[in-house]
Amino acid sequence: MSAEQRPRRRWHIAVFLAPAVLVYTALMILPLFGTLKLSLYEAVDNRQVFVGFDNFATLFGDPNWSESFWRALKNNTWFFFIHMAVQNPIGIAIAAMLSVPALRFKAFYRTAIFIPTILSFVIVGFAWKLILSPLWGIAPGLLDMVGLRHLFQPWLGKEEYALTTIALISVWQFVGIPMMLIYAALLSIPDEILEAGEIDGITGMAAFWKIKLPLILPSIGIISILTFVGNFNAFDLVYTIEGAMAAPNFSTEVMGTFLFRTFFGHQTQPGDPNMGATIAMMMFLIILAGVTIYLFFIQTRMRRYQF
Amino acid sequence: MRPRNIVGIMLAATVLGGAAAAQEVTLTIESWRNDDLTIWQDKIIPAFEAKNPGIKVVFAPTAPAQYNSALNAKLEAGTAGDLITCRPFDGSLQMFEKGYLADLSDMEVLDNFGPVAKSGWSTDDGSATYCIPMASVIHGFIYNKDAFAELGLEEPKTTDEFYALLDKIKEDGTYIPLAMGTADEWEAATMGYANIGSKYWKGEEGRKALIAGKSKLTDPEWVEPYRELARWGQYMGDGFEAQSYPDSQNLFTLGRAAIYPAGSWEISGFNAQADFEMGAFPPPVLPGGECYISDHVDIAMGLNPASPNQEAARTFLSWVGSAEFANLYSNALPGFFSLSNNPVTLEDPLAQEMMSWRESCSSTIRPFAQILGRGTPNLHTEYWVTSANVIRGTMTPEEAGQYMQDALDSWYTPPAQ
């Protein structure tokens, strides 16, 4: 076989892939292995000593650590649950309403609902802290105007309400994301299908439940996984509202605040990068497990429709 | 001119310039007090330079949150300044053990300081001292004098009088009795537990007994302060659970609250904000009991052993320990009180009042700052949470004591007796 007949080396593939591969390796993959390495070492007399999985054993075996860890995981799960139960259904509902052709001021609603998403966590955190403040907030005043002042509670300061309140603040901030994705998915449903349904007598709410919802299921799946990853990485909002100590009484502790306090230290407690890296690895594994379950067991069973 | 010549001239200029400057030593101070930059530049450093020609001093602060990590990085790289501002207890002790702070035990000027003052910057056995103490902060209660006059109230002396007073203010309803919240948790510990508690554990005596393992946190002297804190919740504002530290400050300076459980560092801020007259009283004593105050050592200055200007740096440190510096510093920063034994006169009446408690009361530091704040869980942060929980009513005083003792037992073994 002569040289001309061999398939030519397609250099352009490597060239075009290189930037992404290099950036991703330098910024994501290497730090990930760095974290893994850090979690397998321990500082003894200012030197790093390899200890295998001892740090993980401490995290799960020592009640001082394991209680904090399970508490953070439990709170994180609740945080995720609120988002799935409140944020996504509301997002879908708003998107469904926006896609009704007769609705006026569509662009205004869409923008208004999406704007909180682009605000910084710090702004959202402080704004809501002020709104809900028992001293200067407008929440007690507003409730008073409708005669419901007795329902007001210092929600952010009570152990039983604080985490749910923060989760709802986060829902308020991010409800625009599912709304936008679902809205886009709804717009992509061809009118022919809906018209065909109408001829068969499927109109109004029935059209939503029987035609549109099944068609947007893949988008809902994507939103769920985005919510999952975002929630288990959550930190900023809790930190701006309740501080690194996840007040009151660690009731708003999520994995992010636990990692932050351990890794960087807090007040007189010095930081422990090795234990911090151990927690970071656990966060990574939890998120990895969640995403894997989704990819292999849910997404593969989802049917996609081609129009 | 060819480029190489330019480089040569520049090098020569640098060497010559360096030689000219060598006659004058420049000392650099590392600090986290960037708020105090102008005070150092305009008041403190000129006073020193006027007396010590030939030594120039540069105050080079870093942001407080980054200070510890930035300083450690600089020390490791050998680029840190000659003088190092020391945080109290373990932060500085670790630096001393690593050889980043020089042993200053031989400096005569240390005789100007008492044992409590030196405790923050000495080894556990007290054999070596590595920083010259500069200032402490005192806890007590700052009150709205106008409100007290309006309601016909007087400063309480005993705990019974204190709670009777709080009841009266609450009954009247014009003012919130206590301006404090539990949202940030640390005030409950430092302005609450450490403030009112030392009279129960008898200051240094009880603190040392705890370190020696002779008393436990479940003993009455450590649980009683929680019992007192448990009564505070009813006197705080509506929704105090979500009231943050700046909220409390504003509540007081806006004149809506009568009493502020305070640290002396509030003085300058309150002077600027409040348009009413303020007074202060020390933590009320038990009937027939003695008076104790939390006089917590906060800031000191040490010497970088790698500094090329040891001689000049020691001259500066001797001055930091002098009566002149004590007066200058305490007046420039009301609320940060010199730890020197030399008498200091303060121009600010509120600061003078708080400092005068040192004469009538025994001083102690915050209970878990030394040694007990070392392990995991760290008692110094755990008592934030337990104190706040007790005020919120989600933990009983007994549970709080038990929780603290369990946390301590999990890592601390008292030295053998």
Side-chain angles (χ1 to χ4, degrees), chain B residues 252-254 269-276 278:
Chain B
F252 181 72
T253 52
L254 288 173
F270 280 7
N271 280 340
Q273 297 283 331
D275 53 4
F276 49 84
M278 286 175 291

Side-chain angles (χ1 to χ4, degrees), chain B residues 117-130:
Chain B
K118 283 190 269 190
S119 69
W121 300 281
S122 297
T123 46
D124 290 353
D125 57 5
S127 62
T129 304
Y130 40 84

Side-chain angles (χ1 to χ4, degrees), chain B residues 28-48:
Chain B
T28 310
I29 303 176
E30 300 279 354
S31 174
W32 70 88
R33 294 292 309 168
N34 48 4
D35 291 349
D36 305 344
L37 182 61
T38 50
I39 290 166
W40 279 87
Q41 281 175 344
D42 300 346
K43 291 187 184 163
I44 299 174
I45 293 174
F48 174 78

